[in-house]
Each structure stands twice: as C-alpha cells, then as structure tokens.
Amino acid sequence: MSTETVKKPSVLFVCVHNAGRSQMAAAFLTTLAHGAIEVRSAGSQPADKVNPAAVEAMAELGIDMSAEIPKVLTTEAVQASDVVITMGCGDECPYFPGKRYEDWVLEDPAGQGVEAVRPIRDEIKSRIEDLIASLIPAAK
C-alpha cells in the first residue's frame, strides 16, 4: 500500500505560549508515531523561545527539542488538522465542526525548573501513547 494514497491523521497541539506543553506533546508524537501521524503545534500568544526546562526534560529521554521555535496559532493549522488538542488556551482556540477536540488539563511548566517539568512530561507521554492507539489502532 502506497503512503501517497492513505492520508495520515493529523494532530495540532495548542497552548498559550507554544513553549512547553504543546512542544513536548508534538515532540513525543513525532518520535513515538514514527512518521505515521502529521504533527503541528502552535500558541495563541507564542513565546520567544521554547522553555529551557522542557527542552532539558525531553533531552533526558533522548528527544531533542532545542531547535524548535514557538509558532502562532492560525486558522489554517486548525482546518488542516483532524485532532486539535488544547492545553489551557481557553476560548482563543478557533472551533471548526467535524474536528476532534480534546482539552488536556496539564500544569503549565512556564517558569519552573526541570524537576517540576518531569511529571508534566511523563503525563504528556502517557496521553500521547493513548492518542496514538486511538489514531492508529494497530499501534501498540
């Protein structure tokens, strides 16, 4: 079966600053889905850079986020995604019928050290594993 004929499921992670939670979620999904899912992340008010503690926490698991840059949330990104996962961006996330929306309530790692970010990272990883299983039923 050719990959050109099968549309990959696509996921957009959204938080306010696109510097911590959504970046970690996107990095986990990119790594754990091995290219089987299209991944985007964005923020309603993107920060200047990715949270260094989030970068460090992910590096501990062998995932390099150091080159990531926070991106602004666009209507096009939402329209192009099958699943939109919000993480504390409230009413600033645009809504389109026919999309699967999930709101993940996670502590904001902004301004926290790596010790505080690790449990957030681990919770995100667990949720990503469940998400992959729901999008790619054969994935274990």
Side-chain angles (χ1 to χ4, degrees):
M1 174 162 59
S2 167
T3 54
E4 278 71 45
T5 59
V6 177
K7 183 185 179 300
K8 287 191 224 182
S10 58
V11 177
L12 170 65
F13 296 101
V14 182
C15 64
V16 176
H17 299 297
N18 189 222
R21 295 166 292 185
S22 56
Q23 290 284 356
M24 288 190 288
F28 271 130
L29 186 55
T30 298
T31 301
L32 299 175
H34 306 289
I37 299 171
E38 189 176 346
V39 182
R40 298 179 181 88
S41 72
S44 52
Q45 299 168 20
D48 295 332
K49 63 180 181 165
V50 175
N51 179 335
V55 171
E56 182 179 344
M58 293 299 284
E60 291 175 353
L61 299 182
I63 299 174
D64 182 7
M65 291 190 342
S66 61
E68 295 300 324
I69 299 168
K71 294 168 274 312
V72 69
L73 176 63
T74 65
T75 301
E76 293 76 23
V78 177
Q79 288 176 314
S81 301
D82 299 313
V83 181
V84 178
I85 297 176
T86 57
M87 303 172 178
C89 65
D91 296 332
E92 297 187 51
C93 297
Y95 177 82
F96 292 95
K99 305 287 178 197
R100 174 174 149 194
Y101 287 86
E102 292 184 22
D103 185 43
W104 291 2
V105 179
L106 297 161
E107 191 176 339
D108 188 348
Q112 301 197 57
V114 72
E115 298 79 21
V117 173
R118 284 186 191 115
I120 302 166
R121 172 201 67 196
D122 295 344
E123 172 68 18
I124 290 171
K125 182 179 183 195
S126 174
R127 290 179 187 224
I128 292 296
E129 290 167 342
D130 292 343
L131 177 66
I132 292 169
S134 75
L135 293 174
I136 307 173
K140 293 286 180 233

